[in-house]
Amino acid sequence: MAQVKFDEMIAQKIAQHGLDARLAAVLNALADAITRIEADVRIGPLAGNIGLAGAQNVQGEDQKALDVIADIHVQKALEGVAGVAALVSEELDDVIWLKEPQQGDFLVYYDPLDGSSNLDVNLSVGTIFSIIPVQADGDRNVLHPGRLQICAGYALYGPATTIVLTFGDDVQGFTMDPQTGAFLRSHDAFSVPTDAAEFAINISRYRHLPPGFRAYIDDCLAGKDGPRGRDLNMRWVASMVAEIHRILTRGGVFLYPVDAKTLDKGGRLRLMYEANPMSMIMAAAGGAGSTGWQDIVDVMPQGHHDRVSVVIGSANEVAEVVRYNASYPKNMGSA
Ligand code: F6P
């Protein structure tokens, strides 16, 4: 039997869930943008376009040339696609409005090239996206909780290029056939093990962490000699998409908690185009996404570049972190 293509799966899902048929063109346009980004990522050093672009994004981080290029690919792909009301990009200060919003039109949130510091060292990067419908005719509000997402996904530019997509019921993966450029179904339904055998955190931030997180890490490191009674392995790629893809495939937990250093900003990772889509994907695969205190998808954004504390992964492990935090004060570690 022929392998299911990305566009065929989208058509099936739209019919199955009775979704707005215009969503197909939006997601296929995102796949086109991903194809272009992937081509640039593959030849990055040869084209000389992985270095600093000289600009900074709104978070004050240096933009890589490929960040900028990737953002333009997404913008160009979505401009003119029926029903796309607005683009909210990690790389752009302001929301781009493409039409007068009508109820049911699409707000597209995206990080065109996440983990881009990995480009210089030829490691995996990704594109993350999420779609929320406009809530009412003329409503220019883009600040919605993740619960309102109707679909979310990411592309991982790794040894293979894979798009992972959810409409909230299951999570499927489509890998690019480099011969034809087609995205063919490679993963019918990701299922995240309930228990984690691995945790992922930038441990250099340990002393800044809130006490609940420090106690959790202490007990992970104590392994079978500590209260957890079992050993956990640790991984840190420093590329959220790669990290989430590993956890989606074999379980684990990814932590980027708010800490004393990031408290004024609310955390390190972005709510609307990093944490929300990854939480939706993980939940649809049987896992969970929390700030460490509440479900990420319930966090009400105050700004479209808001940051948030992130704990995403195997359901029992995320619940474990929440339990630790409930038993400790919410004050931060040392600054
Ligand atoms: O959002 C940016 C990002 O690169 C993520 O993809 C990644 O998980 C994280 O930052 C890495 O952070 P650090 O530099 O602290 O390891």
Side-chain angles (χ1 to χ4, degrees):
M1 204 173 67
Q3 271 171 299
V4 175
K5 293 192 178 126
F6 184 71
D7 58 340
E8 293 169 345
M9 172 267 199
I10 291 166
Q12 282 165 12
K13 287 287 178 190
I14 288 174
Q16 182 190 336
H17 296 294
L19 294 167
D20 185 335
R22 298 176 302 172
L23 192 53
V26 179
L27 291 169
N28 287 322
L30 280 167
D32 286 346
I34 286 163
T35 300
R36 289 172 198 280
I37 296 169
E38 111 94 29
D40 287 334
V41 167
R42 295 273 167 246
I43 60 154
L46 295 178
N49 61 2
I50 58 168
L52 296 180
Q56 289 199 323
N57 67 15
V58 288
Q59 277 90 24
E61 298 158 340
D62 289 321
Q63 278 183 326
K64 301 284 181 187
L66 263 185
D67 284 339
V68 180
I69 294 165
D71 188 61
I72 292 167
H73 284 319
V74 178
Q75 282 185 48
K76 281 201 174 143
L78 290 174
E79 270 166 17
V81 174
V84 179
L87 306 181
V88 180
S89 167
E90 196 242 1
E91 294 300 333
L92 301 170
D93 294 22
D94 299 323
V95 177
I96 299 182
W97 287 96
L98 296 173
K99 73 186 285 287
E100 186 54 29
Q102 303 293 316
Q103 184 173 12
D105 283 349
F106 308 113
L107 306 169
V108 182
Y109 305 82
Y110 64 96
D111 184 349
L113 209 52
D114 187 71
S116 51
S117 61
N118 282 307
L119 287 169
D120 291 335
V121 289
N122 202 5
L123 291 177
S124 299
V125 289
T127 298
I128 312 172
F129 57 90
S130 151
I131 297 178
I132 293 180
V134 171
Q135 300 298 296
D137 290 354
D139 181 7
R140 284 184 172 251
N141 178 25
V142 299
L143 304 179
H144 302 296
R147 286 241 181 256
L148 295 185
Q149 295 171 113
I150 52 171
C151 70
Y154 63 77
L156 172 63
Y157 312 105
T161 294
T162 299
I163 301 180
V164 169
L165 186 69
T166 186
F167 289 83
D169 51 350
D170 59 14
V171 184
Q172 300 191 21
F174 293 79
T175 297
M176 180 188 271
D177 175 352
Q179 304 293 327
T180 63
F183 283 99
L184 304 175
R185 186 152 67 193
S186 46
H187 303 78
D188 284 353
F190 284 98
S191 175
V192 182
T194 316
D195 291 309
E198 292 172 339
F199 65 107
I201 189 166
N202 180 343
I203 201 71
S204 70
R205 308 187 73 93
Y206 176 85
R207 73 186 187 284
H208 311 306
L209 292 174
F213 278 102
R214 269 183 283 148
Y216 167 75
I217 299 295
D218 289 344
D219 291 351
C220 287
L221 295 177
K224 62 179 166 42
D225 301 332
R228 304 289 312 266
R230 65 191 175 91
D231 290 333
L232 285 103
N233 202 355
M234 207 204 84
R235 289 285 180 272
W236 188 247
V237 185
S239 175
M240 187 190 199
V241 178
E243 228 90 61
I244 294 293
H245 195 73
R246 183 188 63 246
I247 293 169
L248 209 54
T249 307
R250 67 181 192 207
V253 65
F254 170 82
L255 306 112
Y256 215 121
V258 63
D259 61 31
K261 289 279 186 200
T262 59
L263 185 58
D264 55 335
K265 296 177 184 158
R268 164 80 149 86
L269 301 182
R270 286 52 149 219
L271 173 63
M272 303 207 74
Y273 37 78
E274 290 185 310
N276 273 340
M278 292 313 200
S279 294
M280 183 184 186
I281 291 165
M282 201 57 77
S290 169
T291 63
W293 293 274
Q294 70 172 126
D295 285 356
I296 285 172
V297 291
D298 287 331
V299 174
M300 187 57 80
Q302 306 298 313
H304 55 272
H305 293 300
D306 275 9
R307 299 174 188 248
V308 71
S309 181
V310 169
V311 181
I312 296 178
S314 293
N316 283 350
E317 202 63 20
V318 173
E320 190 75 26
V321 175
V322 173
R323 262 196 299 279
Y324 273 82
N325 277 328
S327 326
Y328 286 84
K330 206 186 163 180
N331 58 311
M332 296 293 135
S334 61

